[in-house]
Amino acid sequence: MRFAEPNFLWALFTLPLFLLLFVYAYRRRKKLASKFASISMLPKIATSLSPWRRATKTGLLLLGIAFLIVALARPQWGRQMEHIERKGLDILLLQDVSLSMLAEDVKPNRLVRSRHEISAFLDTLSGDRVGLVAFSGEAQTLVPLTLDYGTVQLILRDLEPGWLLPGTDLAAAIDKGMQMFRRSKVPSKYAVMVLMSDGEEQDAKAVEKAKEAAEAGIRIYTVGIGSKEGVPIPEPTKNGDVSYHKDRFGNIVTTHLEERTLQDVASITGARYFYASPGEFQLQKVLSEIESLEKRDTSSDQMENYQDRYQIFLAMAAILFLVEALLSERGKKRKQLAGRFS
């Protein structure tokens, strides 16, 4: 047996506190009653009250609480092999992490907004394998194609500029994606790339790589991020002041969305380009496009998770609470002393 939510078991340590509370309440009632009669006279006055029944009710209540806590911890046991049928695509996310992605024309900035939108995008997927590639002046595979969306989410949160070569090399990102698809040996009609960038490419090689992808049958959906007017690029400083990226002559560098290359890459591969405005990021529209594509049938044997058995403990708790509620503290009246009423 195992527990899916074991942290709830710590609540079992509160049971002694409940017991102390019941004892305190009993003694308080007894103390209040002593104001009307002496302690020695109380048993004679309240002849129908049964200490054993009161103790039994307390025990049932505590045991019911214990079963309820165990139910909340979700006890599980028993598992079986199950054959899972799956339909899906291979979706490779290409995320720009160049310095210009720190621009704040898309709030809070281009990169943070991209991370949030990708995270929401992953939450809507089911059955599709997903991979993640980060790029700036070079491209790096962060997560190979996988069904483990949680791992992608985890890596995604740590994406920041500065750990890859400076610049924006769209061609390197596309090339890295094609390498991954070739290694996966999946028919290209089930392979899709989603490239998110501000499009400020330094070397005009992305279109050539897009032609290679098109020949292989791979679609590349592109999402343009940023405003079309130039904006400065914030840079963090040690003392926390606001600073902006400058060129070697001390002039503030501005960045703006370059749509032309992104549009060409999408068009060449038979996909679409989407503009991520400050109010709408467009990834959900990309998902709608992808959903219309043909998906391959796949299957895999996987071990089913342990089966929840909390229902048993929940039912036991309910029964104990019901019995406790129906059980009266009063027993049969004890016989009165002989001659009491004579």
Side-chain angles (χ1 to χ4, degrees), residues 119-174:
S119 180
F121 176 78
L122 292 172
D123 288 338
T124 62
L125 296 180
S126 176
D128 302 296
R129 291 199 305 173
V130 177
L132 179 62
V133 170
F135 69 93
S136 54
E138 60 179 328
Q140 182 69 45
T141 301
L142 300 184
V143 183
L145 291 165
T146 179
L147 286 168
D148 186 357
Y149 302 153
T151 297
V152 183
Q153 299 266 25
L154 187 64
I155 300 298
L156 189 64
R157 287 198 293 266
D158 294 329
L159 278 186
E160 292 290 346
W163 59 281
L164 293 174
L165 292 176
T168 303
D169 194 340
L170 301 177
I174 297 171

Side-chain angles (χ1 to χ4, degrees), residues 28-43 45-46:
R28 182 172 175 79
R29 286 201 304 267
K30 195 172 182 180
K31 184 178 180 180
L32 291 174
S34 68
K35 294 180 178 181
F36 301 97
S38 64
I39 297 297
S40 59
M41 288 295 295
L42 287 178
I45 297 173

